[in-house]
């Protein structure tokens, strides 16, 4: 009885305080009537918690209508593939779990050897790249691809798109409108080059050696370091692991006792690129087959390069698109990106991703080939796809599942601007 009387007196005192409040003295945004109503609700249900409305969240498990690939500004540094905080946390976990355990052996590339299971992958990636270039030269004879004369943007279709996105020379006079012309394979497959290393574990390339060392496609250099043998680009092959003296010092093991190597048979026969003068337009029966081979070669090149990058590191500059295949970047001071004066032209090397080595050139997807004209006012309803995929789709193949999210196939495109303004 005493406890109940104390609770009643405390509630009565709280009620009198609420009634004596003025609206201006309310600091939580509630009115006096709402406070009194909540007071009586609390007396009726003393164990119930204060009501909090649930936030309505809409989720969509459908894989359509994904966002386009983000375009970073030239004044913005590329983000790290894995944040530095996560790298430090993982390093601390490795040090913590390694106490009292034997040290792990180094992987073959760090010891100067080859990963034998990746040698066939290197040959397949090289042949896939050659097949992709040869088939694109054939498809360009039947599938029209437009290239802007002033910037690096392209469009797959008989008529260029009317979007005002040109940033080339004189774009302000043309109000951002493109001037379309013919295109070549280099407009579709972005040429990414890297220095060829005779010894991937040797000293870093200095600034004075930047012109004496040849530059080749970065994918080819990655394949060479993974086991591809090309006579025109010799490289050093070790048969014994190196002997490390320090962190950055080592000596080669004595291989004089090893028997001479027999000329080994190559895992896959190497293909050669077709010259532009020898390319002939395919007949109507061959177009679909060539398009399927082109898309397959594109996937083999990207997936194979991703496997090689996990074993053989590739570096990219965080400010410019320069790529270096090797454990550490070169020292050539040829970076001309934003604020390069503060870095004395040196690159800011960081770990690269697949899109840095094999960049997909995104273009606008043409939803109807019978009406290829696109309207500038309806640009928010169109999708995008890599240029290689868009060429193969316009050649007659089915749209791959993995590229459907950015192509926005389930979006109904209005017929005119008036109908588009009615869309909510």
């Amino acid at each position: 009885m005493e406890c109940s009387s104390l609770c009643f007196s405390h509630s009565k005192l709280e009620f009198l305080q609420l009634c004596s409040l003025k609206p201006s003295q309310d600091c939580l945004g509630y009115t006096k009537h709402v406070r009194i109503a909540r007071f009586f609700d609390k007396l009726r249900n003393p164990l119930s918690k204060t009501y909090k409305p649930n936030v309505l969240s809409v989720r969509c498990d459908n894989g359509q209508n994904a966002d386009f690939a983000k375009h970073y500004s030239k004044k913005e540094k590329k983000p790290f593939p894995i944040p530095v905080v996560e790298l430090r946390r993982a390093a601390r976990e490795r040090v913590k779990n390694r106490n009292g355990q034997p040290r792990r052996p180094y992987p073959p590339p760090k010891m100067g050897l080859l990963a034998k299971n990746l040698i066939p992958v290197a040959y397949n990636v090289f042949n896939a790249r050659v097949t992709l270039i040869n088939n694109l030269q054939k498809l360009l004879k039947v599938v029209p691809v437009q290239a802007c004369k002033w910037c690096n943007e392209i469009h797959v279709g008989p008529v260029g798109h009317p979007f005002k996105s040109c940033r080339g020379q004189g774009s302000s006079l043309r109000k951002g409108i493109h001037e379309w012309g013919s295109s070549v394979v280099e407009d579709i497959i972005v040429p990414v080059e890297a220095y060829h290393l005779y010894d991937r574990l040797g000293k870093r390339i200095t600034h004075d050696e930047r012109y004496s060392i040849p530059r080749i496609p970065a994918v080819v250099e990655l394949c060479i370091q993974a086991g591809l043998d090309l006579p025109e680009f010799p490289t050093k092959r070790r048969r014994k692991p190196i002997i490390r003296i320090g962190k950055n010092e080592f000596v080669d093991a004595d291989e004089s006792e090893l028997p001479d190597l027999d000329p080994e048979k190559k895992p896959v026969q190497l293909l050669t690129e077709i010259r532009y003068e020898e390319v002939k337009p395919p007949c109507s029966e061959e177009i679909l087959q060539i398009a399927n081979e082109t898309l397959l070669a594109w996937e083999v090149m990207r997936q194979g390069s991703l496997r090689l990058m996990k074993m053989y590191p590739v570096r990219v500059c965080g400010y410019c698109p320069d790529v270096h295949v090797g454990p550490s970047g070169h020292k050539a001071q040829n970076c001309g990106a934003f604020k390069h004066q503060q870095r004395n032209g040196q690159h800011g090397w960081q770990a690269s991703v697949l899109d840095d080595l094999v960049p997909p050139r995104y273009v606008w997807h043409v939803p109807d080939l019978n009406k290829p004209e696109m309207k500038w006012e309806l640009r928010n309803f169109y999708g995008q796809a890599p240029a290689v995929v868009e060429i193969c789709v316009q050649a007659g193949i089915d749209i791959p599942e993995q590229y459907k999210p950015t192509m926005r196939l389930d979006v109904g495109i209005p017929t005119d601007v008036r109908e588009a303004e009615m869309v909510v």
Side-chain angles (χ1 to χ4, degrees), residues 196 216 219-228 230 233 235 237:
H196 171 59
I216 61 176
V219 177
V220 178
E221 175 62 20
L222 179 61
C223 295
I224 291 175
Q225 294 188 15
L228 174 67
L230 295 179
F233 300 110
T235 184
R237 304 293 188 194

Side-chain angles (χ1 to χ4, degrees), residues 192-199 205-206 208-218 220-222 224-225 230-235 322-325 330 332 334:
V192 179
E193 294 184 345
Y195 286 108
H196 171 59
L197 302 180
Y198 173 73
D199 185 6
I205 300 174
T206 61
D208 298 333
E209 298 175 341
R210 64 189 185 279
Y211 296 126
S212 59
I213 298 179
R215 291 178 65 88
I216 61 176
V220 178
E221 175 62 20
L222 179 61
I224 291 175
Q225 294 188 15
L230 295 179
E232 58 270 23
F233 300 110
T235 184
D322 197 3
V323 171
H324 181 80
V325 183
H330 59 78
N334 52 7

Side-chain angles (χ1 to χ4, degrees), residues 126-127 130-131 134 270-274:
F126 179 81
N127 285 340
V130 175
T131 303
N134 294 339
L270 296 180
L271 303 178
T272 57
E273 297 183 13
I274 303 176

Side-chain angles (χ1 to χ4, degrees), residues 39-258:
F39 169 76
F40 283 108
D41 182 68
K42 183 178 178 181
L43 291 180
R44 287 191 295 267
N45 302 311
L47 300 179
S48 64
K49 297 182 179 180
T50 306
Y51 172 74
K52 295 182 180 180
N54 295 327
V55 179
L56 179 62
S57 61
V58 179
R59 296 181 180 179
C60 181
D61 297 332
N62 190 10
Q64 288 287 349
N65 307 331
D67 295 334
F68 299 149
K70 183 179 179 181
H71 294 277
Y72 295 98
S73 174
K74 293 183 179 180
K75 298 181 180 181
E76 182 181 2
K77 188 180 183 298
K78 300 175 186 175
F80 290 97
I82 303 176
V84 179
V85 178
E86 297 294 335
L87 293 176
R88 292 175 179 174
R89 184 180 294 111
R92 289 193 296 266
E93 289 293 333
R94 288 196 301 268
V95 172
K96 182 179 179 181
N97 299 331
R98 195 171 54 192
N99 293 335
Q101 295 184 0
R103 194 168 186 175
R104 282 186 174 184
Y106 286 105
K110 287 190 176 182
M111 302 303 294
L113 305 178
L114 292 176
K116 295 184 179 181
N117 60 327
L118 295 180
I119 296 178
V121 179
Y123 279 84
N124 292 334
V125 170
F126 179 81
N127 285 340
R129 179 181 177 274
V130 175
T131 303
L132 179 64
I133 294 176
N134 294 339
N135 289 350
L136 284 178
Q137 290 182 353
K138 298 177 183 178
L139 291 177
L140 287 178
K141 300 289 185 179
V142 294
V143 178
V145 179
Q146 311 293 330
C148 182
K149 299 179 181 179
W150 303 102
C151 67
N152 57 357
E153 190 166 346
I154 61 176
H155 180 74
V156 182
V159 182
H161 66 74
F163 305 146
K164 302 177 182 180
S165 57
C166 183
R167 297 295 181 267
Q169 182 180 0
S171 59
S172 58
L173 300 177
R174 292 179 279 105
K175 297 182 180 181
I177 299 178
H178 297 275
E179 290 187 9
W180 301 107
S182 58
S183 64
V184 292
V185 178
E186 286 75 12
D187 296 327
I188 303 170
I189 302 178
V190 181
V192 179
E193 294 184 345
Y195 286 108
H196 171 59
L197 302 180
Y198 173 73
D199 185 6
R200 64 183 307 273
L201 296 182
K203 295 183 179 181
R204 298 172 63 181
I205 300 174
T206 61
H207 180 69
D208 298 333
E209 298 175 341
R210 64 189 185 279
Y211 296 126
S212 59
I213 298 179
R215 291 178 65 88
I216 61 176
V219 177
V220 178
E221 175 62 20
L222 179 61
C223 295
I224 291 175
Q225 294 188 15
L228 174 67
D229 292 328
L230 295 179
E232 58 270 23
F233 300 110
T235 184
K236 186 175 182 178
R237 304 293 188 194
R238 294 180 175 86
R239 302 167 62 185
K240 280 187 176 182
I242 61 175
I243 302 174
R244 289 197 173 272
I245 302 176
K247 183 177 181 181
N248 297 324
E249 297 182 5
F250 67 90
V251 293
D252 292 332
D254 185 14
E255 300 181 359
S256 59
E257 300 178 355
L258 298 178

Side-chain angles (χ1 to χ4, degrees), residues 317-386:
C317 180
Y319 303 93
C320 72
D322 197 3
V323 171
H324 181 80
V325 183
S328 56
H330 59 78
K331 295 183 179 180
Q333 301 173 2
N334 52 7
C335 181
F338 183 62
K339 291 187 178 181
H340 63 90
Q341 300 89 347
Q342 300 180 3
R343 294 175 278 108
N344 197 17
Q346 296 181 357
H347 296 278
W349 298 112
Q350 63 186 43
S352 66
V353 295
L354 180 61
D355 290 347
D356 296 325
L357 185 69
V358 188
R361 197 72 177 276
Y362 279 90
V363 297
W364 292 100
H365 171 60
V366 180
D368 189 2
L369 293 177
N370 297 325
K371 298 178 180 180
E373 295 85 2
M374 305 176 73
K375 297 182 180 180
W376 182 76
E377 296 81 3
L378 306 179
R379 61 189 180 279
N380 294 331
F381 297 91
Y382 299 116
Q384 291 184 358

